[in-house]
Amino acid sequence: MLRTVWCNIARSLMSSKTIDPVRRVHGMIAIPGDKSISHRAAMLAAVADGRSRLLNYSPADDCQRTLACLEALGVAIEQRGAEVSIVGRGLTGWSAPQTMLDAGNSGTTIRLLAGLLAGQRFDSWITGDQSLQRRPMQRIIEPLTQMGAVITARDGRFAPLHIHGGALQPITYHLPVASAQVKSCILLAGLLAAGTTTVVEPVSTRNHTELMLTHFGVPVALSNHAISVSGPARLRACEVRIPGDLSSAAFFIAAALMLPDSMLCISNVGINPTRTGFIDLLRRMGASIELENVRQWHGEPVADLVVRSSHLRPASPNVIGGELIAALIDEIPILAVMATQMEGGLTIREAGELRVKESDRLRALTENLRRMGADVEEFDDGLHIPGPQPLHGAQIDAYGDHRIAMAFAIAGLVARGRTQVDASDVVAVSFPTFFSALEQIAQR
Ligand code: S3P
């Protein structure tokens, strides 16, 4: 017991990062491949016929977990830096895993893979780290059970999951919560079900699965908020070029906007409109974010971003909620930090989903913003952050959450005094080179 406590303290000290304020950020930077798109590319390549080549695959721990799970299912994978070659085994060609599959911290790995595992002719177990074991799985168990899968979960709703795979029936499913992970889980299961599976979304969520399926040769029918696929499908191996991750770029966009005299050029960033809520909102507030050289990589829009320091005016209305939340769900931590520096601050509502992310992000944001001296009001489904208000350096608890660690590292750049982000190595979950990239653009 004592040893565990000591090890935890030692580990958090070892990986704690000290952040001092900087004068500005400046330069050119490339961001690693998009995490959401990388997961999908790897999973679809693993059920395609033939060898696929994925370029700019994300180095994120989450995406490496997906590759490890696929290898455990008998898929041959070679990885050279950001280039990954995957020999697909067809939709039902995987072999039964010999051990429990481990999704680590990755909600996308466990939820999307569950859809494909549900239609296999073998049983599998899948779990994740402590954070993932606390996240809701009922939302995928329910539709997969309707499709005929037999899934047993701890307390009926948490990982580890036992998936008894078998023949699936198509369904039409109205999503009770806006979630691209749940939508994608059902569509992937739909590839294995004979007939048409339809998912109806309450609001649009990221459509990377739809675009990636199309790229692998599977027709996807779209009508308003309904997305349909027909099975059994056949996927054709292909080459996939993965855009830079806008959700990772967001931290540097925020730094460039907040620090005076800053200018950043961020190349090859994915600007899929289902993901650009952060950019769209900030531009409405007067942010100088130019999209240059806009082009498409297999249906995914990509651009070079040029970001300059900007004075942000209050958005009208100064409350965000509704459809916009899905389009900037992963950027809310950094947006909350930015709100402290905005004229008029910001109110975020209808964002209760943040309580079931890698941490309870509304709690983690409130706690850490208060540690930095900010006035914050916490609601069940959001936050009210008055602004502008000064931040002072503080000791930050990342709550084991990569985006909380990165958001408060950026807060440290604009605070007075020194900030310490404990257990900061959690950034590797999505952006292992975050601190070296920050070092590269920071000017003191
Ligand atoms: C993701 C969907 C979102 C997002 C997550 C990645 C995906 O989660 O927050 O980081 O890759 O589909 P939800 O679908 O649970 O909202």
Side-chain angles (χ1 to χ4, degrees):
M1 173 65 180
L2 203 58
R3 182 167 338 128
T4 318
V5 171
W6 170 243
C7 284
N8 286 344
I9 294 171
R11 204 174 308 126
S12 89
L13 286 179
M14 254 176 2
S15 74
S16 87
K17 266 276 184 261
T18 303
I19 309 285
D20 287 313
V22 299
R23 195 162 46 83
R24 65 172 187 166
V25 290
H26 201 269
M28 293 182 60
I29 194 154
I31 298 290
D34 188 273
K35 187 158 81 73
S36 290
I37 301 177
S38 294
H39 286 298
R40 287 154 172 86
M43 289 185 205
L44 295 194
V47 290
D49 296 318
R51 181 186 292 271
S52 293
R53 203 163 143 249
L54 317 183
L55 307 172
N56 200 32
Y57 190 82
S58 168
D61 276 0
D62 275 10
C63 299
Q64 300 302 314
R65 291 288 180 171
T66 287
L67 294 184
C69 289
L70 295 173
E71 276 181 327
L73 291 158
V75 178
I77 299 179
E78 281 167 39
Q79 193 172 9
R80 239 173 286 110
E83 188 175 324
V84 179
S85 158
I86 299 183
V87 183
R89 300 187 56 164
L91 260 186
T92 51
W94 290 354
S95 31
Q98 296 307 300
T99 51
M100 168 115 66
L101 300 170
D102 185 358
N105 194 244
S106 176
T108 308
T109 306
I110 194 167
R111 293 194 177 118
L112 270 60
L113 211 47
L116 290 169
L117 291 171
Q120 304 298 322
R121 281 171 295 218
F122 53 75
D123 283 23
S124 48
W125 283 92
I126 186 161
T127 191
D129 67 9
Q130 282 182 6
S131 150
L132 195 60
Q133 287 183 36
R134 286 193 296 267
R135 297 181 65 186
M137 294 298 147
Q138 192 57 39
R139 51 182 66 190
I140 58 161
I141 296 172
E142 151 105 36
L144 291 176
T145 305
Q146 281 187 25
M147 295 179 85
V150 181
I151 301 180
T152 319
R154 182 175 54 84
D155 292 341
R157 57 202 168 117
F158 297 117
L161 306 179
H162 173 253
I163 303 174
H164 175 67
L168 298 178
Q169 298 127 35
I171 55 168
T172 293
Y173 193 75
H174 290 255
L175 289 183
V177 281
S179 164
Q181 291 179 355
V182 179
K183 167 178 69 175
S184 303
C185 166
I186 302 166
L187 292 176
L188 294 185
L191 300 176
L192 288 134
T196 301
T197 293
T198 300
V199 181
V200 186
E201 302 189 279
V203 300
S204 299
T205 64
R206 61 191 69 194
N207 64 353
H208 304 305
T209 301
E210 295 89 308
L211 294 173
M212 193 63 72
L213 281 168
T214 308
H215 186 50
F216 276 81
V218 177
V220 177
L222 304 174
S223 137
N224 294 324
H225 283 299
I227 305 118
S228 305
V229 293
S230 294
R234 267 192 97 113
L235 286 81
R236 198 181 50 215
C238 57
E239 184 173 295
V240 185
R241 185 178 292 275
I242 298 165
D245 197 326
L246 177 58
S247 297
S248 298
F251 299 102
F252 298 144
I253 295 173
L257 292 175
M258 289 190 291
L259 289 160
D261 292 325
S262 294
M263 205 280 282
L264 279 186
C265 204
I266 314 175
S267 55
N268 301 332
V269 182
I271 51 158
N272 181 315
T274 60
R275 290 279 296 280
T276 52
F278 179 70
I279 294 185
D280 302 339
L281 173 72
L282 292 171
R283 281 173 124 192
R284 284 203 299 278
M285 298 172 104
S288 170
I289 306 172
E290 285 163 45
L291 311 182
E292 293 189 346
N293 193 18
V294 178
R295 63 262 187 216
Q296 295 234 340
W297 290 354
H298 345 289
E300 288 285 356
V302 180
D304 302 327
L305 308 189
V306 181
V307 188
R308 291 188 176 83
S309 17
S310 306
H311 176 76
L312 302 182
R313 299 178 300 272
S316 125
N318 213 14
V319 181
I320 64 163
E323 293 219 18
L324 181 59
I325 297 298
L328 49 64
I329 187 82
D330 291 341
E331 286 65 71
I332 289 177
I334 186 61
L335 194 60
V337 166
M338 292 184 81
T340 64
Q341 308 303 300
M342 284 174 190
E343 199 185 302
L346 195 64
T347 302
I348 301 165
R349 298 307 302 245
E350 300 178 276
E353 269 297 284
L354 289 190
R355 297 215 180 267
V356 290
K357 293 290 178 188
E358 288 84 329
S359 69
D360 175 344
R361 288 186 172 158
L362 296 177
R363 191 80 280 286
L365 285 166
T366 304
E367 168 66 20
N368 284 312
L369 284 170
R370 285 185 181 152
R371 286 187 187 196
M372 297 188 88
D375 179 17
V376 187
E377 194 180 343
E378 181 182 355
F379 313 117
D380 277 355
D381 69 342
L383 301 172
H384 170 62
I385 304 159
Q389 49 177 332
L391 297 176
H392 60 66
Q395 187 168 4
I396 298 300
D397 180 349
Y399 284 76
D401 184 331
H402 55 128
R403 298 201 203 280
I404 296 296
M406 292 187 277
F408 282 91
I410 299 298
L413 302 181
V414 296
R416 235 177 313 107
R418 175 165 280 191
T419 294
Q420 183 182 312
V421 181
D422 286 342
S424 62
D425 52 3
V426 71
V427 301
V429 161
S430 63
F431 194 174
T433 52
F434 171 76
F435 286 108
S436 55
L438 185 55
E439 200 50 47
Q440 190 191 322
I441 55 171
Q443 296 189 350
R444 295 200 161 78

